[in-house]
Amino acid sequence: RPPAVITTNTTKGEKIMCKKIRGKFFVAPLVGLVTTLLSAGNSAQALTPVTTCGQTLSVSGEYLLTGNLVCPDTGVDFNGVTITASNVVFHLAGRSISSTVCDLTRNISGIFVTGGLSGVRVDGGTVRGFNDGIVLSSSNSRVVGMTVTKACAFGILGGGENNWIEENVVTASGDGVALSPAKLTHVTANHLSGNVRAGVALSDFADANFIEQNILNNNGDYGIAVFNGNNTIIRNNAANRNRIGIALLSTATRDGATILPHRVLDNTAH
């Protein structure tokens, strides 16, 4: 049976909803960035500088990217910055981490947050290139106000539980945001457009997640695609000019048991 696709014609009310989404999306990151810059200026002594590619943030605390990083090919797996401690706040402060390396036979990420952590926050800058822009494997963590572009696999890859991926821009990547696997994760108020396959993709038993108030335009295949998982809430998104707006492709059963259905509410797609 073909995937479930939700399409409607754009109305005046839908245009108003899209404007509201855009308003929330564009204003909040700007406020967040200004707050970050002011905080950095007022408490520079409290922030640990991040100055080089390959740096590992292994102690809880606040970190500040002090300059743009261009990461060369190491010939092996590498990350621009790796976070290995809970309760780390990493402010990019409008700066960027970039690499032209794309090699899917290796693990190559702009920012990599390891599993088993909690309370991590990454905000306020740009990641360009790499296989994956940002990999968030921790729980109770946030990626906020980031711009991610030209990641050849995933712009932002979320795992863990109770994470927030919000108010980011992801473009020109394989998938904009992918949850694989993830539980109780909020993908909210992002602009995920012009990606190769999907704006948002869920797979590998990504259960009970929330996809809300996102703008998902001009992606190659899907605005939102649920390949695997159950009980996803997809609400108040605007998915336009994708080949398929919203596709529910997961099966109705898992290991012989009926899984909870997805809920698709008040979206616009055409």
Coordinates of all heavy atoms in Angstrom, one line a residue, residues 109-173:
S109 N 32.2 13.8 12.1 CA 31.1 14.7 12.6 C 31.7 16.1 12.9 O 32.8 16.2 13.4 CB 30.4 14.1 13.8 OG 29.9 12.8 13.5
G110 N 30.8 17.1 12.7 CA 31.2 18.4 13.2 C 31.3 18.5 14.7 O 32.3 18.9 15.3
I111 N 30.2 18.2 15.3 CA 30.1 18.2 16.8 C 29.5 16.8 17.2 O 28.4 16.5 16.7 CB 29.2 19.3 17.4 CG1 29.8 20.7 17.0 CG2 29.1 19.2 18.9 CD1 28.9 21.9 17.3
F112 N 30.2 16.1 18.0 CA 29.8 14.7 18.4 C 29.6 14.7 19.9 O 30.5 14.9 20.7 CB 30.8 13.7 18.0 CG 30.3 12.3 18.2 CD1 29.5 11.6 17.3 CD2 30.5 11.6 19.4 CE1 29.1 10.3 17.4 CE2 30.1 10.3 19.6 CZ 29.3 9.7 18.7
V113 N 28.3 14.4 20.3 CA 28.0 14.3 21.8 C 27.8 12.8 22.1 O 26.9 12.2 21.5 CB 26.7 15.1 22.1 CG1 26.5 15.0 23.6 CG2 26.9 16.6 21.7
T114 N 28.6 12.3 22.9 CA 28.6 10.8 23.1 C 27.4 10.4 23.9 O 26.7 11.2 24.6 CB 29.9 10.3 23.9 OG1 30.0 11.0 25.1 CG2 31.1 10.7 23.1
G115 N 27.1 9.1 23.9 CA 25.9 8.6 24.6 C 26.2 8.5 26.1 O 27.3 8.6 26.6
G116 N 25.1 8.3 26.9 CA 25.2 8.2 28.3 C 25.4 9.5 29.1 O 25.6 9.5 30.3
L117 N 25.3 10.6 28.4 CA 25.4 11.9 29.0 C 24.0 12.5 29.2 O 23.0 12.1 28.6 CB 26.3 12.8 28.2 CG 27.7 12.3 27.8 CD1 28.4 13.4 26.9 CD2 28.5 11.9 29.0
S118 N 24.0 13.6 30.0 CA 22.8 14.4 30.1 C 23.1 15.9 30.3 O 24.3 16.2 30.7 CB 21.9 13.9 31.2 OG 22.5 14.1 32.5
G119 N 22.2 16.7 30.0 CA 22.4 18.2 30.3 C 23.4 18.9 29.4 O 24.0 19.9 29.8
V120 N 23.5 18.4 28.2 CA 24.4 19.1 27.2 C 23.6 20.1 26.4 O 22.4 19.8 26.0 CB 25.0 18.0 26.3 CG1 25.8 18.7 25.2 CG2 25.9 17.1 27.1
R121 N 24.2 21.2 26.1 CA 23.6 22.2 25.2 C 24.6 22.7 24.2 O 25.7 23.0 24.6 CB 23.0 23.4 26.0 CG 22.4 24.5 25.2 CD 22.0 25.7 26.0 NE 21.5 26.8 25.2 CZ 20.3 27.2 25.0 NH1 19.3 26.5 25.6 NH2 20.0 28.2 24.3
V122 N 24.2 22.8 22.9 CA 25.0 23.3 21.8 C 24.2 24.4 21.2 O 23.1 24.2 20.8 CB 25.4 22.2 20.8 CG1 26.2 22.8 19.7 CG2 26.2 21.1 21.5
D123 N 24.8 25.6 21.1 CA 24.0 26.7 20.5 C 24.8 27.7 19.8 O 26.0 27.9 19.9 CB 23.2 27.4 21.6 CG 24.0 28.0 22.7 OD1 25.0 28.6 22.4 OD2 23.6 28.0 23.9
G124 N 24.1 28.5 18.9 CA 24.5 29.8 18.4 C 25.6 29.8 17.4 O 26.4 30.8 17.4
G125 N 25.7 28.9 16.4 CA 26.8 29.0 15.4 C 26.5 28.1 14.2 O 25.3 27.7 14.0
T126 N 27.5 27.8 13.4 CA 27.3 27.1 12.2 C 28.3 25.9 12.1 O 29.4 26.0 12.5 CB 27.7 28.1 11.0 OG1 26.8 29.1 10.9 CG2 27.6 27.3 9.6
V127 N 27.7 24.8 11.6 CA 28.5 23.6 11.2 C 28.3 23.4 9.8 O 27.2 23.3 9.3 CB 28.1 22.4 12.1 CG1 28.9 21.2 11.6 CG2 28.4 22.6 13.5
R128 N 29.4 23.3 9.0 CA 29.4 23.2 7.6 C 30.2 22.0 7.1 O 31.3 21.8 7.5 CB 29.9 24.4 6.9 CG 29.8 24.5 5.4 CD 30.4 25.8 4.9 NE 29.6 26.9 5.3 CZ 30.0 27.8 6.3 NH1 31.2 27.6 6.8 NH2 29.2 28.8 6.6
G129 N 29.6 21.1 6.3 CA 30.3 19.9 5.8 C 30.2 18.7 6.8 O 29.3 18.6 7.5
F130 N 31.3 17.9 6.7 CA 31.4 16.6 7.5 C 30.3 15.6 6.9 O 29.5 15.9 6.1 CB 31.1 16.9 9.0 CG 32.1 17.8 9.6 CD1 31.8 19.2 9.8 CD2 33.3 17.4 10.1 CE1 32.6 20.1 10.3 CE2 34.2 18.3 10.7 CZ 33.9 19.6 10.8
N131 N 30.4 14.4 7.4 CA 29.4 13.4 7.1 C 28.1 13.8 7.9 O 27.0 13.9 7.2 CB 29.8 12.0 7.6 CG 30.8 11.3 6.8 OD1 31.2 11.9 5.7 ND2 31.3 10.2 7.2
D132 N 28.2 14.0 9.2 CA 27.1 14.5 10.0 C 27.5 15.8 10.6 O 28.6 15.9 11.2 CB 26.8 13.5 11.1 CG 26.5 12.1 10.5 OD1 25.8 12.0 9.5 OD2 27.0 11.1 11.1
G133 N 26.5 16.8 10.6 CA 26.8 18.0 11.2 C 27.0 18.0 12.7 O 28.0 18.3 13.3
I134 N 25.9 17.5 13.3 CA 25.8 17.4 14.8 C 25.2 16.1 15.1 O 24.2 15.7 14.6 CB 25.0 18.5 15.5 CG1 25.6 19.9 15.1 CG2 24.9 18.3 17.0 CD1 24.7 21.1 15.5
V135 N 25.9 15.3 16.0 CA 25.4 14.0 16.5 C 25.1 14.2 18.0 O 26.0 14.4 18.7 CB 26.4 12.9 16.2 CG1 25.8 11.6 16.8 CG2 26.6 12.7 14.7
L136 N 23.8 14.0 18.3 CA 23.4 14.2 19.7 C 23.0 12.8 20.2 O 21.8 12.4 20.1 CB 22.3 15.2 19.8 CG 21.7 15.6 21.2 CD1 22.8 16.3 22.0 CD2 20.5 16.4 21.1
S137 N 23.9 12.1 20.9 CA 23.6 10.8 21.5 C 23.2 10.8 22.9 O 22.8 9.8 23.5 CB 24.8 9.9 21.3 OG 25.2 9.8 19.9
S138 N 23.3 12.0 23.6 CA 23.0 12.1 25.0 C 21.5 12.2 25.2 O 20.7 12.1 24.3 CB 23.7 13.3 25.6 OG 23.3 14.5 24.8
S139 N 21.0 12.4 26.5 CA 19.6 12.6 26.8 C 19.5 13.9 27.6 O 20.5 14.4 28.1 CB 19.1 11.4 27.7 OG 19.1 10.2 26.9
N140 N 18.3 14.4 27.7 CA 18.0 15.6 28.4 C 18.9 16.7 27.9 O 19.5 17.5 28.8 CB 18.1 15.4 29.9 CG 17.2 14.3 30.4 OD1 16.0 14.4 30.2 ND2 17.7 13.3 31.0
S141 N 19.1 16.9 26.6 CA 20.0 17.8 26.0 C 19.4 18.6 24.9 O 18.2 18.3 24.5 CB 21.2 17.0 25.5 OG 21.9 16.3 26.5
R142 N 20.0 19.7 24.5 CA 19.5 20.6 23.5 C 20.5 21.0 22.4 O 21.7 21.2 22.8 CB 18.9 21.9 24.2 CG 17.7 21.6 25.1 CD 17.3 22.9 25.8 NE 16.1 22.7 26.6 CZ 14.9 23.0 26.3 NH1 14.6 23.5 25.1 NH2 13.9 22.8 27.1
V143 N 20.0 21.1 21.2 CA 20.7 21.8 20.1 C 19.8 22.9 19.7 O 18.7 22.7 19.2 CB 21.0 20.9 18.9 CG1 21.6 21.6 17.8 CG2 21.9 19.7 19.4
V144 N 20.3 24.2 19.9 CA 19.4 25.4 19.7 C 20.1 26.4 18.9 O 21.3 26.7 19.1 CB 19.1 26.0 21.1 CG1 18.1 27.1 20.9 CG2 18.5 24.9 22.0
G145 N 19.4 27.0 17.9 CA 19.9 28.1 17.2 C 21.1 27.9 16.4 O 21.9 28.8 16.2
M146 N 21.2 26.7 15.8 CA 22.4 26.3 15.0 C 22.0 26.4 13.5 O 20.9 26.1 13.1 CB 22.9 24.9 15.3 CG 23.5 24.8 16.7 SD 25.0 25.7 16.9 CE 26.1 24.8 15.7
T147 N 23.0 26.7 12.7 CA 22.9 26.5 11.3 C 23.8 25.4 10.8 O 25.0 25.4 11.1 CB 23.3 27.8 10.5 OG1 22.4 28.9 10.9 CG2 23.3 27.6 9.0
V148 N 23.2 24.4 10.1 CA 23.9 23.3 9.7 C 23.7 23.1 8.2 O 22.6 23.1 7.7 CB 23.5 22.0 10.4 CG1 24.3 20.8 9.9 CG2 23.7 22.1 11.9
T149 N 24.8 23.0 7.4 CA 24.6 22.9 6.0 C 25.7 22.0 5.3 O 26.8 21.9 5.9 CB 24.7 24.4 5.3 OG1 24.4 24.3 4.0 CG2 26.1 25.0 5.5
K150 N 25.3 21.4 4.2 CA 26.2 20.6 3.4 C 26.8 19.4 4.2 O 27.9 18.9 3.9 CB 27.3 21.4 2.8 CG 26.8 22.5 1.9 CD 27.9 23.3 1.2 CE 27.3 24.4 0.3 NZ 28.4 25.2 -0.4
A151 N 26.0 18.8 5.1 CA 26.4 17.6 5.7 C 26.0 16.5 4.8 O 24.9 16.4 4.4 CB 25.8 17.4 7.1
C152 N 26.9 15.6 4.4 CA 26.6 14.6 3.3 C 25.7 13.5 3.8 O 25.1 12.8 2.9 CB 27.8 14.1 2.6 SG 29.0 13.3 3.6
A153 N 25.5 13.3 5.1 CA 24.5 12.3 5.6 C 23.4 12.9 6.3 O 22.3 13.1 5.8 CB 25.3 11.2 6.4
F154 N 23.7 13.3 7.6 CA 22.6 13.9 8.4 C 23.1 15.3 8.9 O 24.2 15.5 9.4 CB 22.3 13.1 9.6 CG 22.0 11.7 9.3 CD1 22.8 10.6 9.6 CD2 20.8 11.4 8.6 CE1 22.4 9.3 9.3 CE2 20.4 10.1 8.3 CZ 21.2 9.0 8.6
G155 N 22.2 16.3 8.8 CA 22.5 17.6 9.3 C 22.6 17.5 10.9 O 23.6 17.8 11.4
I156 N 21.5 17.1 11.5 CA 21.5 16.8 13.0 C 20.9 15.4 13.2 O 19.8 15.1 12.7 CB 20.6 17.8 13.7 CG1 21.1 19.3 13.5 CG2 20.6 17.5 15.2 CD1 20.3 20.4 14.1
L157 N 21.7 14.6 13.8 CA 21.3 13.2 14.1 C 21.1 13.1 15.6 O 22.0 13.3 16.4 CB 22.4 12.2 13.6 CG 22.2 10.7 14.0 CD1 20.9 10.2 13.3 CD2 23.4 9.9 13.5
G158 N 19.8 12.8 15.9 CA 19.4 12.7 17.4 C 19.2 11.3 17.8 O 18.5 10.5 17.1
G159 N 19.7 10.9 19.0 CA 19.4 9.7 19.6 C 19.0 10.0 21.1 O 18.7 11.1 21.4
G160 N 19.1 9.0 22.0 CA 18.8 9.3 23.4 C 17.4 9.6 23.6 O 16.5 9.3 22.8
E161 N 17.1 10.2 24.8 CA 15.7 10.5 25.2 C 15.6 11.9 25.7 O 16.6 12.5 26.3 CB 15.3 9.5 26.3 CG 15.3 8.0 25.9 CD 14.7 7.1 27.0 OE1 14.2 7.7 28.0 OE2 14.7 5.9 26.8
N162 N 14.4 12.4 25.6 CA 14.1 13.7 26.2 C 15.0 14.9 25.7 O 15.4 15.7 26.5 CB 14.1 13.6 27.7 CG 13.1 12.7 28.2 OD1 11.9 12.8 28.0 ND2 13.5 11.7 29.0
N163 N 15.3 14.8 24.4 CA 16.1 15.9 23.9 C 15.3 16.9 23.1 O 14.1 16.6 22.7 CB 17.2 15.3 22.9 CG 18.2 14.5 23.6 OD1 18.7 14.9 24.6 ND2 18.6 13.4 23.0
W164 N 15.8 18.1 22.9 CA 15.2 19.2 22.2 C 16.1 19.6 21.1 O 17.2 20.0 21.3 CB 14.9 20.4 23.1 CG 13.7 20.1 24.0 CD1 13.7 19.4 25.2 CD2 12.4 20.6 23.8 NE1 12.4 19.4 25.7 CE2 11.6 20.2 24.9 CE3 11.7 21.4 22.9 CZ2 10.2 20.5 25.1 CZ3 10.4 21.7 23.0 CH2 9.7 21.3 24.1
I165 N 15.6 19.6 19.8 CA 16.3 20.1 18.7 C 15.4 21.2 18.1 O 14.3 21.0 17.5 CB 16.5 19.0 17.6 CG1 17.4 17.8 18.2 CG2 17.1 19.5 16.3 CD1 17.4 16.6 17.3
E166 N 15.8 22.4 18.4 CA 14.8 23.5 18.2 C 15.5 24.8 17.6 O 16.6 25.1 17.9 CB 14.1 23.9 19.5 CG 15.1 24.3 20.6 CD 14.3 24.5 22.0 OE1 13.1 24.9 21.9 OE2 15.0 24.3 23.0
E167 N 14.7 25.4 16.7 CA 15.1 26.8 16.2 C 16.4 26.7 15.5 O 17.2 27.7 15.5 CB 15.1 27.8 17.3 CG 13.8 27.9 18.0 CD 13.8 28.7 19.3 OE1 14.9 29.2 19.7 OE2 12.7 28.9 19.9
N168 N 16.6 25.6 14.7 CA 17.8 25.5 13.9 C 17.5 25.6 12.4 O 16.3 25.5 12.0 CB 18.4 24.1 14.1 CG 18.8 23.8 15.6 OD1 19.7 24.4 16.1 ND2 17.9 23.0 16.2
V169 N 18.5 25.9 11.6 CA 18.4 25.9 10.2 C 19.2 24.8 9.6 O 20.4 24.8 9.9 CB 18.8 27.3 9.5 CG1 18.7 27.2 8.0 CG2 18.0 28.4 10.1
V170 N 18.7 23.9 8.9 CA 19.5 22.8 8.2 C 19.1 22.8 6.8 O 18.0 22.6 6.4 CB 19.2 21.4 8.9 CG1 20.1 20.4 8.3 CG2 19.4 21.5 10.4
T171 N 20.1 22.9 5.9 CA 19.9 22.9 4.5 C 21.0 22.1 3.8 O 22.1 21.9 4.4 CB 20.0 24.4 3.9 OG1 21.3 24.9 4.2 CG2 19.0 25.3 4.6
A172 N 20.7 21.7 2.6 CA 21.7 21.1 1.7 C 22.4 19.9 2.3 O 23.6 19.7 2.0 CB 22.7 22.2 1.2
S173 N 21.7 19.2 3.1 CA 22.3 18.0 3.7 C 21.5 16.7 3.2 O 20.5 16.9 2.5 CB 22.2 18.1 5.3 OG 23.0 19.2 5.7

